[in-house]
Amino acid sequence: MFRRIFLLNAAVLVAAAALLLLGPVTISTPVLLTEALILSAGLAVMLIANAALLRLGLAPLQRLTRAMTTIDLLRPGPRPVAAGHSEIADLITTFNSMLDRLEAERATSSARALSAQEGERRRIAQELHDEVGQTLTAVLLELKRVADQSPAPVREELLLVQETTRGSLDEIRRIARRLRPGVLEELGLASALSALVNEIPDHGGLTVRRRVTGPLPALGDEVELVLYRVAQESLTNAVRHARARHVDLSLRRVPGAVELCIRDDGRGLGGAPEGAGIRGMRERALLIGAGLAIGPGPDGGTEVRLTVPTTQREPLP
């Protein structure tokens, strides 16, 4: 790079010196106006030529700088083209190789972290079901036995405690199902999405409509889990943050892919930065080579669209 810039500048200066030595132009003492104008014009031409040559030579580096400042490992994009002279092309090629290594290392570490997270969720769900659930069930049975043997005033209070305990048991079971979606393993993705929609509380006036267009192509366990978790996170965001009244969840087959779309009519993302939930969805999408688009819906609100390519292009039904 230094050698090329030096040679370009040297060529411009040599050309200017040759024009002064061999050309008909001379410099008088004192300097005449016409001579000053000629020298000024020559200097301007030299500066313009030097700027143009440097801009052409450094243009690939400017493109590389823009790529460095805008790159996001969670949103893979096109690589900078290895253009320019050998040194610049080698630099861009090295940068692209570094990006490939970083994305591969991030994918590996994310896969391990998500696998550990799913394992921890299964363990906690199992403990909630086996330990806490069984303990609360025993408490319910004991409360019923004591209530049956108690006088009427005490029995009424015990029945209230019993209902509160039963509500806590139902909540623990619901949390365990969200941590470990057993219905996904037993009945498949469509049934798991139906159960997920049915678990959304209706006291807030939120209406969720589910539509699964089938038959769907065969999907692996990992792909189905990613689809389920993205739907789960999207519905959770719609319930907690979007202030939405209606949510549409659709799963359908498109040419060469399976598409999951969750769309609400809430307040939208605005200018809020992406939180851990959305970044977690992006990491899961990268693990299965899927595309994730999050943005405003056609009628406002937020739209989350996950497109999972299939191994074989399936015809539409």
Side-chain angles (χ1 to χ4, degrees), residues 16-34:
L19 288 175
L20 288 176
L21 291 175
L22 303 178
V25 179
T26 58
I27 300 177
S28 303
T29 303
V31 179
L32 300 178
L33 178 62
T34 56

Side-chain angles (χ1 to χ4, degrees), residues 11-170:
V12 172
L13 293 176
V14 168
L19 288 175
L20 288 176
L21 291 175
L22 303 178
V25 179
T26 58
I27 300 177
S28 303
T29 303
V31 179
L32 300 178
L33 178 62
T34 56
E35 294 174 344
L37 292 176
I38 293 174
L39 287 175
S40 299
L43 179 61
V45 170
M46 288 172 53
L47 293 175
I48 293 172
N50 194 28
L53 291 174
L54 287 177
R55 180 171 293 276
L56 288 175
L58 298 178
L61 284 181
Q62 294 176 346
R63 292 194 296 269
L64 181 61
T65 301
R66 285 195 298 269
M68 288 180 176
T69 56
T70 59
I71 197 69
D72 186 351
L73 295 180
L74 291 179
R75 302 179 185 180
R79 297 285 191 263
V81 179
H85 293 274
S86 59
E87 294 178 357
I88 297 180
D90 291 342
L91 178 61
I92 297 176
T93 302
T94 302
F95 176 74
N96 291 338
S97 300
M98 182 190 69
L99 280 184
D100 293 337
R101 291 195 304 272
L102 288 176
E103 289 183 356
E105 292 173 1
R106 184 180 182 88
T108 301
S109 60
S110 297
R112 293 173 180 171
L114 291 175
S115 177
Q117 184 185 77
E118 290 296 333
E120 187 67 12
R121 285 182 172 183
R122 284 193 296 270
R123 185 186 66 80
I124 294 175
Q126 191 69 30
E127 291 183 357
L128 286 175
H129 182 272
D130 294 344
E131 302 295 335
V132 182
Q134 291 181 8
T135 300
L136 288 179
T137 301
V139 170
L140 280 174
L141 294 175
E142 187 65 20
L143 285 173
K144 184 178 183 305
R145 185 186 67 80
V146 174
D148 292 340
Q149 301 175 0
S150 300
V154 178
R155 184 182 303 114
E156 293 297 328
E157 295 181 4
L158 289 174
L159 289 177
L160 290 176
V161 175
Q162 189 176 6
E163 289 301 318
T164 303
T165 306
R166 183 177 289 109
S168 299
L169 179 59
D170 292 339

Side-chain angles (χ1 to χ4, degrees), residues 206-209 211 234-235 238 242 244-250 252 259-266 295-305:
L206 178 65
T207 302
V208 182
R209 292 171 292 191
R211 185 175 69 256
S234 301
L235 291 176
R245 307 296 296 176
H246 300 89
V247 179
D248 291 321
L249 185 151
S250 64
R252 60 173 182 156
E259 183 181 81
L260 173 70
C261 181
I262 301 95
R263 183 182 300 163
D264 65 59
D265 61 351
D299 300 322
T302 304
E303 180 181 272
V304 178
R305 188 178 300 272

Side-chain angles (χ1 to χ4, degrees), residues 222-224 226-227 283-290 306 308-309:
E222 185 181 22
V223 174
E224 289 191 348
V226 169
L227 286 165
E283 289 180 350
R284 291 181 183 275
L286 286 177
L287 290 180
I288 60 174
L306 179 68
V308 182

Side-chain angles (χ1 to χ4, degrees), residues 186-300:
E186 299 169 2
L187 300 179
L189 181 61
S191 299
L193 292 178
S194 298
L196 185 62
V197 169
N198 293 333
E199 289 179 357
I200 294 178
D202 56 0
H203 56 77
L206 178 65
T207 302
V208 182
R209 292 171 292 191
R210 181 191 64 87
R211 185 175 69 256
V212 177
T213 305
L216 298 174
L219 302 171
D221 295 339
E222 185 181 22
V223 174
E224 289 191 348
L225 182 59
V226 169
L227 286 165
Y228 179 85
R229 291 302 187 195
V230 169
Q232 185 182 49
E233 181 65 28
S234 301
L235 291 176
T236 300
N237 290 338
V239 171
R240 294 181 179 176
H241 309 297
R243 300 178 184 173
R245 307 296 296 176
H246 300 89
V247 179
D248 291 321
L249 185 151
S250 64
L251 180 66
R252 60 173 182 156
R253 182 173 58 181
V254 297
V258 171
E259 183 181 81
L260 173 70
C261 181
I262 301 95
R263 183 182 300 163
D264 65 59
D265 61 351
R267 59 182 181 177
L269 295 173
E274 293 186 355
I278 294 180
R279 296 189 69 84
M281 288 193 290
R282 294 194 184 280
E283 289 180 350
R284 291 181 183 275
L286 286 177
L287 290 180
I288 60 174
L292 181 68
I294 303 176
D299 300 322

